[in-house]
Amino acid sequence: MIFVIYTFSVIFVLLALALLFTWWRLRHPGALLLAITYATAAALALMFEAWWPLVIGFLSAWALRLMGLDPGAAERREKS
């Protein structure tokens, strides 16, 4: 189980880095919030060696995206 936690934590860290790069290029506040959410979830999962921070982080990021805070939300709204 620990291997799965480490694997998903690495994936979350990579997502956070990609979102930080997106924030750096576009200065979109939602990208920064998503990056912080993914990085915090990965750090907590590694600290506690538990799976529940990853689930909470994923659900939090999903909620932020539903609120329209992902970088692509504005473009999708303009096309509609």
Side-chain angles (χ1 to χ4, degrees):
M1 183 66 174
I2 213 69
F3 179 72
V4 174
I5 292 170
Y6 276 90
T7 303
F8 279 104
S9 293
V10 167
I11 292 170
F12 273 38
V13 167
L14 291 175
L15 282 169
L17 290 174
L19 284 163
L20 275 176
F21 180 72
T22 301
W23 174 77
W24 181 66
R25 297 275 318 243
L26 302 176
R27 299 291 184 202
H28 190 280
L32 183 61
L33 284 173
L34 284 168
I36 291 170
T37 302
Y38 281 124
T40 304
L44 288 174
L46 291 174
M47 261 187 354
F48 295 137
E49 292 184 351
W51 56 269
W52 57 267
L54 296 171
V55 173
I56 292 172
F58 179 76
L59 293 176
S60 298
W62 189 58
L64 287 171
R65 288 179 187 218
L66 285 177
M67 288 189 280
L69 290 175
D70 60 335
E75 295 169 4
R76 285 193 297 271
R77 270 186 257 127
E78 289 174 2
K79 288 182 182 177
S80 305

